[in-house]
Amino acid sequence: MSQLIQGKRAGLIGLIFMLAAGMAFAQSNNETDASSEPQVKIKDRHQDWTVRCKMASQQAFGSGDICEMYQQVDEQESQQTVLEIVIGYPSEGEQPVALFFLPLGIRLPPGVELRVDENEPVRFPIQLCSRNGCRADIELTSALVTQMRAGSEAVLVIADPQGRGVGLPLSLQGFSAALDDVQSSIN
């Protein structure tokens, strides 16, 4: 991958991370100064996916909205968030990038594995952890997007502290409509 593409991907990943982190921060801090940051707005909901947009910084990305699709997975008993997924397109990128926000306390070396139905799983590393959790990202290839559009279920597998695989369910209901919505916002 050329340095230019890596730089653009890193820029998008940073922007999506900022949007997702901003959304989580705004949800946990009701005293946020509304005038300091453009607000993230819900554009639409497509079953289990939410499309949200934020006005892009003109200095960094030009004008217009930057949209992404989002899903949050909560543990059933405690209702604590165990996984957040954000999918968006890098500027001038043809393939979407998915960011997975994971809980702390997971084993890092095995990375994560994305399974869509009975297809071959896709493995990728965890990039970083902070006090709020860990992050892994992957460019969604055309083949993977096709699997997800046609799929009925997906599971993101992480390793617990003892190295055992733990599957976190990812709903694909509304995936195609949400991705189409995000794609239309960049055209």
Side-chain angles (χ1 to χ4, degrees), residues 12 16 36 52 64 70 76-77 80 96 108 127 142 158-159 165:
L12 172 76
I16 292 174
S36 65
R52 58 191 189 187
Y70 171 83
Q76 289 182 347
E77 291 179 22
Q80 285 191 302
L108 303 178
Q127 276 76 26
S142 296
I158 59 175

Side-chain angles (χ1 to χ4, degrees), residues 78-89:
S78 69
Q79 293 301 304
Q80 285 191 302
T81 300
V82 293
L83 174 65
E84 293 179 85
I85 306 99
V86 179
I87 299 174
Y89 283 84

Side-chain angles (χ1 to χ4, degrees), residues 9 82-85 98-116 120-129 133-140 144 155-160 163-168 170:
R9 181 173 179 219
V82 293
L83 174 65
E84 293 179 85
I85 306 99
L99 279 74
F100 298 89
F101 298 94
L102 309 164
L104 290 172
I106 60 176
R107 184 167 279 223
L108 303 178
V112 294
E113 179 179 279
L114 178 61
R115 298 178 187 165
V116 179
E120 187 70 29
V122 178
R123 295 179 188 274
F124 50 102
I126 296 169
Q127 276 76 26
L128 65 92
C129 293
C134 298
R135 187 193 86 203
D137 63 71
I138 183 174
E139 182 177 279
L140 300 178
L144 188 53
V155 175
L156 190 74
V157 180
I158 59 175
D160 71 6
R164 296 178 299 231
V166 176
L168 304 173
L170 171 62

Side-chain angles (χ1 to χ4, degrees), residues 5 21 24 41 45 71 81 97 103 128-129 131 142 145 159 163 165 171:
I5 292 172
K41 295 181 182 169
R45 295 186 195 279
Q71 184 178 135
T81 300
V97 173
L128 65 92
C129 293
R131 65 183 170 143
S142 296
V145 168
S171 174

